[in-house]
Amino acid sequence: MTTESPAADASESTAQAAPDDAAPKDRVIIFDTTMRDGEQSPGASMSLDEKLELAKILEDMKVDVIEAGFPIASNGDFESVQKVAAIVTESIVCGLARANPADIERAAEAIRHAKRGRIHTFISTSPSHRNHILRMSPEEVIDAVTGSVTLARNLCGDVEWSAQDASRTERDVLLRCVEAAIRAGAQTINLPDTVGYTYPSEYAEMFRDMIENVPGADGVVFSTHCHNDLGLAVANSLAGVEAGARQVECTINGLGERAGNAALEEIVMALRVRGDRLRFDSGIDTTHITRASRYVSAITGFPVQFNKAVVGKNAFAHEAGIHQDGMLKDAGTYEIMLPEDVGQGASNLVMGKHSGRHAFREKLKGLGYELGDNALNDAFTRFKALADKKKDVYDDDIMALVDDELAKGSERIRVVSLRVVAGTEGPQEAKLTASIDGVEHSATATGDGPVDAVFNAIRQVAPHAAALRLFQVHAVTEGTDAQAQVSVRLEEDGRIATGTASDTDTMTASAKAYINALNNLMARREKTRPPEALASGF
Ligand code: KIV
Ligand code: ZN
């Protein structure tokens, strides 16, 4: 449910409200690239199952275009685009390709069965990239634009063309490249600020220049794509929209290369909250924003900073007495949007051990989760166990628990029991029993601290060569009985897998998160290794 935000009140009563409030809003296309540019963030890799789940969330959110990967990059990327294309019915599914036939043909093959597919082909246009990466003259780049877009249009009815590093490209060269792309049949022209260098007025000027001066510009959709190196990605994207762009490329939580991409949730909420100045409509169901943010954070192990706009833990928290007093009198005094608008439950204290399955299912629905029967049963069993241990079960507890269920994937290895000795008198020790393909194995290990002992015990029951790249713990709620949510990232031969788990016992959560990562790593290995290699163990 979407509620009118208090800001509506505020803007109605301010002299700055736009004079044409009744005028219809222009539609801005939301293009999500969390699975492609977002995944390019070091360590942020996602498994196929995770991408499929994310695609469902993005579709529930009514994202217009989902860029599901870069099909030529690997067989895994190809499969992800292909499978996302097979399950998505409403959104356009897009595959990325460089300006060469092999890339474009592979992208076309990956989206072949999409209900609505798009090929997104790009080439660098700036002097820096032309001279140092491509070693091509402007004329050669323009020829490549014509050739690549023509081929893509022969293979797919919907083609987007991007000028990589557009914001650092000479205007005359960019004009000629854009003209060539339009002539060859591209319907969307994306002008990225690839290195996060531009400034809002400068980025806006570039769009105005193209829209006013390129023949055929009125027949295509211009698109923004901004990186956040100077913290300007959202401001630059909105400036592009004000200058005439009608597609915004963005990612959940601003995930992406280096400092990331423009954050979807910030773009969408800025358009919504400041509809008085920005007369645009994104079409996004914003009530799914929190769920998407939590899910992306859980599967990548990238925490959302507490004071992150829109989705941070503190985004709707009011600490100062004067603010709390104002909030009690009228939420609009300090809150420009409602937590419910972005899918944060208004009532936070929720359920206890007497709550039944029906109430649990309804609660999940309210939080934006629709689980199948098996996942619902597992989540309900875990909820009951949690309610036995923890007096107050909050929305955050329930979301952590369901995120665990969704992130579980294949479970060749499972924790059966764990006993840990911690404290000042070492050595700290862990005694673990785990089930591997249905057979129980036990080990006792010591370590430099209890977590190290737990991980050593896992290495004994399931020997493997993967290196630990991330171990991260945070408390889901306040209080000493809070659940610990643990993320673990493992790397083996360039393959990265992340695991998460939550439990009121931090050591149990750590063991489960490590084993979840190990299961995900094995699932990935199985896709790339010949079957006989699997039989030789972990
Ligand atoms: O940042 C960029 O230029 C890109 C392109 C490949 C679209 O991600
Ligand atoms: Zn990018």
Side-chain angles (χ1 to χ4, degrees), residues 271-433:
L271 293 178
R272 181 179 158 146
V273 172
R274 295 312 311 271
D276 57 324
R277 309 280 314 188
L278 295 156
R279 304 291 303 158
F280 309 103
D281 184 8
S282 74
I284 292 291
D285 179 349
T286 61
T287 60
H288 292 278
I289 282 179
T290 300
R291 174 182 162 218
S293 165
R294 291 184 63 106
Y295 188 65
V296 168
S297 173
I299 60 180
T300 57
F302 278 45
V304 175
Q305 80 191 51
F306 279 16
N307 58 338
K308 162 86 177 62
V310 182
V311 291
K313 198 179 168 70
N314 290 354
F316 296 96
H318 299 273
E319 185 70 27
I322 188 170
H323 286 208
Q324 288 177 347
D325 181 55
M327 286 291 294
L328 289 172
K329 290 178 174 138
D330 181 337
T333 51
Y334 286 101
E335 210 160 65
I336 58 163
M337 52 195 155
L338 296 172
E340 301 93 286
D341 292 346
V342 299
Q344 283 198 21
S347 70
N348 204 5
L349 181 58
V350 277
M351 308 173 78
K353 60 180 171 187
H354 301 299
S355 308
R357 186 185 304 268
H358 180 70
F360 183 68
R361 189 195 286 267
E362 287 306 303
K363 182 74 209 170
L364 290 185
K365 257 199 208 154
L367 294 171
Y369 294 92
E370 292 270 3
L371 299 191
D373 284 347
N374 288 346
L376 180 77
N377 285 346
D378 289 354
F380 184 66
T381 307
R382 285 196 55 199
F383 160 70
K384 283 292 196 188
L386 181 65
D388 269 340
K389 283 195 239 166
K390 195 172 183 289
K391 191 167 138 271
D392 299 327
V393 179
Y394 296 88
D395 286 359
D396 280 346
D397 285 315
I398 295 186
M399 288 194 268
L401 189 148
V402 177
D403 287 342
D404 279 4
E405 286 308 314
L406 293 176
K408 225 158 58 178
S410 86
E411 274 202 291
R412 281 184 62 188
I413 316 181
R414 253 181 342 98
V415 175
V416 175
S417 67
L418 177 69
R419 183 144 219 107
V420 180
V421 178
T424 52
E425 314 225 334
Q428 287 79 22
E429 189 183 85
K431 185 164 193 260
L432 171 79
T433 301

Side-chain angles (χ1 to χ4, degrees), residues 156-347:
C156 181
D158 181 351
V159 171
E160 170 170 338
W161 174 78
S162 284
Q164 181 160 238
D165 209 12
S167 57
R168 294 195 300 164
T169 302
E170 313 91 317
R171 278 300 159 73
D172 60 319
V173 174
L174 191 60
L175 278 162
R176 286 157 66 206
C177 288
V178 171
E179 184 178 352
I182 295 175
R183 272 189 202 285
Q187 299 101 326
T188 303
I189 301 293
N190 183 37
L191 303 179
D193 179 33
T194 304
V195 292
Y197 174 76
T198 201
Y199 180 79
S201 55
E202 181 187 51
Y203 197 52
E205 193 184 284
M206 179 182 72
F207 279 97
R208 282 197 201 99
D209 200 355
M210 297 301 132
I211 292 168
E212 280 165 21
N213 297 313
V214 176
D218 54 346
V220 299
V221 173
F222 279 85
S223 168
T224 68
H225 178 113
C226 297
H227 283 265
N228 205 29
D229 300 65
L230 292 174
L232 292 170
V234 169
N236 288 335
S237 306
L238 293 175
V241 169
E242 286 194 292
R246 288 294 176 269
Q247 175 177 284
V248 175
E249 302 196 356
C250 44
T251 59
I252 303 291
N253 297 341
L255 195 70
E257 289 262 10
R258 306 181 310 278
N261 290 56
L264 180 148
E265 62 278 6
E266 293 177 25
I267 300 276
V268 166
M269 290 314 288
L271 293 178
R272 181 179 158 146
V273 172
R274 295 312 311 271
D276 57 324
R277 309 280 314 188
L278 295 156
R279 304 291 303 158
F280 309 103
D281 184 8
S282 74
I284 292 291
D285 179 349
T286 61
T287 60
H288 292 278
I289 282 179
T290 300
R291 174 182 162 218
S293 165
R294 291 184 63 106
Y295 188 65
V296 168
S297 173
I299 60 180
T300 57
F302 278 45
V304 175
Q305 80 191 51
F306 279 16
N307 58 338
K308 162 86 177 62
V310 182
V311 291
K313 198 179 168 70
N314 290 354
F316 296 96
H318 299 273
E319 185 70 27
I322 188 170
H323 286 208
Q324 288 177 347
D325 181 55
M327 286 291 294
L328 289 172
K329 290 178 174 138
D330 181 337
T333 51
Y334 286 101
E335 210 160 65
I336 58 163
M337 52 195 155
L338 296 172
E340 301 93 286
D341 292 346
V342 299
Q344 283 198 21
S347 70

Side-chain angles (χ1 to χ4, degrees), residues 299-301 455 468-472 486-490 497-501 509-518:
I299 60 180
T300 57
F455 290 179
L468 180 66
R469 292 285 177 238
L470 172 89
F471 168 67
Q472 179 178 276
V486 178
S487 301
V488 167
R489 187 178 304 141
L490 298 175
T498 304
T500 56
S510 303
K512 287 185 174 169
Y514 193 107
I515 284 179
N516 181 213
L518 201 51

